[in-house]
Amino acid sequence: MIETRWLDGEEQRTWRTFLMAVHLLDGALDRQLRHDAGIPHAYYQILAMLSEAPERELTMTRLARLLRSSPSRLSHAAARLETDGMIRRFKRPEDRRTTIVEITDSGMKALEEAAFGHVREVRRLVFDTLTHEQVDQLREISESMLGALDPQGEEPRYPDPEDPRATD
Amino acid sequence: MIETRWLDGEEQRTWRTFLMAVHLLDGALDRQLRHDAGIPHAYYQILAMLSEAPERELTMTRLARLLRSSPSRLSHAAARLETDGMIRRFKRPEDRRTTIVEITDSGMKALEEAAFGHVREVRRLVFDTLTHEQVDQLREISESMLGALDPQGEEPRYPDPEDPRATD
DNA sequence: CGAAAACAATTGAACGCTCAAGTATTCTGT
DNA sequence: ACAGAATACTTGAGCGTTCAATTGTTTTCG
């Protein structure tokens, strides 16, 4: 029998404030990107991840894992992004099960253009409101939660050092 | 001309970790509630807010404001929740523009049953992974972000003191 | 070898959210 | 009083996500 305590007053306040902030932040980022760049935040992240990958390409499965996306979700998203000419999908003879996704020049351009406004918004809504100490704290808190949310989740990240692209 | 700095390494790490954690947390909470209680997290929040309101009722507009929801979104949600018998909508003669939403006994029951598993999940994924200090920090960070996200957002909250219902 | 399992990706239906438009009611100012 | 503005809510189309089912390909191993 598992005992489950209710949230105490302090936790309650924290939880509701956190939920509200996240809810509004999500909406704000998505709205800004859709309005200024015509793509949802999730699609921006797909492009960003691809832009940092070696050769600017990844298999669908690998990309899905990096983004913690379901294969299905990525597949739908890829269909749309491909129609828009931002990515290209193709197969290689080595393993004909896998599909390679590659970000196109047009996709890179769209990403770079979108990045300006996006980063400005992230700054305005998050980093400008926090002290350096709080940024530290937020990272540690997020890492703690990730431990419970994504136990086996490491996966490399291709951190392209000096590149003002895709800063998200 | 507004200058926009890119995110530095520290901020970059924080931002990605935070985004990932929030993305996974959102998915986990929604999945748990849909699976165990048959309602999405957003609908749980509607029921929770109503359960704490005086007389268990609010106008659509007031409820939407409390939840930072668009009227449209709430209207769609209310249609579904009403079909499911969890809420009831009606008009009062005083102002025939406004619609009053009331949570039904059935809705209260569903909420109470859903709350157990939900709170367990929130504990497991969030509060159990954080120290008391970090909970403090997370609240302060969330409040800071809220300041930028929701400038004029106060709105009362009906904090029902000693009640193990709707702890979310 | 060959059958079964594992893997990679896609598809379609259901659903919730967004946005723009629409209906109905009440308030405002002259 | 009454036209126009403001308020309250609803509706429908479009889109992204989820889930379950499906197709095609490679691996495993008896």
Side-chain angles (χ1 to χ4, degrees):
Chain A
M1 189 56 176
I2 296 165
E3 197 213 327
T4 302
R5 299 185 314 291
W6 297 97
L7 301 185
D8 64 33
E10 174 71 4
E11 290 166 333
Q12 183 89 241
R13 255 179 69 81
T14 301
W15 181 237
R16 296 207 174 182
T17 311
F18 174 64
L19 270 191
M20 189 61 38
V22 161
H23 168 62
L24 291 175
L25 180 58
D26 225 58
L29 295 182
D30 212 58
R31 203 168 315 112
Q32 185 271 322
L33 275 171
R34 281 177 190 275
H35 182 270
D36 293 1
I39 53 169
H41 189 203
Y43 289 18
Y44 177 91
Q45 292 180 57
I46 292 173
L47 296 180
M49 196 58 78
L50 280 174
S51 78
E52 297 173 8
E55 313 293 322
R56 292 184 185 172
E57 64 176 48
L58 288 168
T59 67
M60 289 290 278
T61 294
R62 181 138 184 68
L63 180 53
R65 274 206 266 264
L66 287 168
L67 296 167
R68 272 66 167 181
S69 162
S70 70
S72 168
R73 179 181 178 220
L74 180 57
S75 211
H76 285 295
R80 204 271 227 181
L81 287 171
E82 189 164 44
T83 302
D84 293 356
M86 302 205 173
I87 63 165
R88 197 170 73 83
R89 279 184 292 185
F90 58 93
K91 301 237 176 217
R92 282 210 221 288
E94 324 150 13
D95 185 341
R96 308 204 330 98
R97 287 174 303 182
T98 61
T99 299
I100 317 287
V101 211
E102 176 192 62
I103 184 170
T104 62
D105 290 346
S106 162
M108 284 297 292
K109 197 165 158 251
L111 174 63
E112 284 164 26
E113 286 172 7
F116 286 96
H118 178 61
V119 172
R120 176 153 33 79
E121 197 73 344
V122 171
R123 276 218 164 283
R124 186 174 73 81
L125 298 174
V126 180
F127 293 101
D128 286 353
T129 76
L130 303 178
T131 64
H132 287 300
E133 219 188 349
Q134 284 181 312
V135 172
D136 270 5
Q137 294 167 358
L138 182 57
R139 184 178 38 64
E140 279 165 20
I141 288 167
S142 301
E143 281 166 358
S144 291
M145 296 195 294
L146 261 191
L149 286 159
D150 194 21
Q152 303 314 334
E154 353 78 58
E155 297 272 2
R157 243 112 178 250
Y158 317 120
D160 207 333
E162 290 298 326
D163 196 340
R165 271 187 283 102
T167 307
D168 173 41
Chain B
M1 189 56 175
I2 296 167
E3 196 212 327
T4 301
R5 300 186 312 292
W6 297 97
L7 301 184
D8 64 33
E10 174 71 4
E11 291 166 332
Q12 183 88 241
R13 258 178 67 80
T14 300
W15 182 235
R16 296 209 176 181
T17 311
F18 174 65
L19 269 191
M20 189 62 31
V22 160
H23 169 63
L24 291 174
L25 180 59
D26 225 59
L29 295 182
D30 213 58
R31 205 169 312 112
Q32 185 271 322
L33 275 170
R34 281 176 191 275
H35 181 270
D36 294 2
I39 53 169
H41 189 201
Y43 289 18
Y44 177 91
Q45 293 180 56
I46 292 174
L47 296 180
M49 197 56 79
L50 280 174
S51 78
E52 297 173 8
E55 312 292 322
R56 293 182 182 176
E57 64 175 50
L58 288 169
T59 68
M60 291 289 279
T61 293
R62 182 136 184 68
L63 181 52
R65 274 205 267 264
L66 286 168
L67 295 167
R68 272 67 168 180
S69 162
S70 69
S72 168
R73 179 182 176 217
L74 180 58
S75 212
H76 284 297
R80 205 271 228 182
L81 288 171
E82 189 164 44
T83 302
D84 293 358
M86 301 203 175
I87 64 165
R88 197 170 74 82
R89 280 185 290 186
F90 58 94
K91 301 238 179 215
R92 282 210 222 287
E94 323 149 15
D95 186 341
R96 307 200 333 94
R97 287 173 301 182
T98 61
T99 299
I100 316 285
V101 211
E102 176 194 59
I103 184 170
T104 61
D105 290 347
S106 163
M108 284 297 293
K109 198 167 157 248
L111 174 63
E112 283 164 27
E113 285 171 9
F116 286 96
H118 177 59
V119 172
R120 176 153 35 78
E121 198 73 345
V122 171
R123 276 218 165 282
R124 186 174 74 80
L125 298 173
V126 180
F127 292 101
D128 286 353
T129 77
L130 303 179
T131 64
H132 287 298
E133 220 190 345
Q134 283 180 312
V135 173
D136 269 6
Q137 293 168 359
L138 182 56
R139 183 177 40 64
E140 278 165 19
I141 288 166
S142 301
E143 281 166 357
S144 290
M145 293 195 296
L146 262 190
L149 287 158
D150 194 20
Q152 304 314 334
E154 352 81 56
E155 297 274 2
R157 244 115 177 245
Y158 316 121
D160 207 332
E162 288 298 325
D163 195 342
R165 269 185 285 103
T167 307
D168 172 46

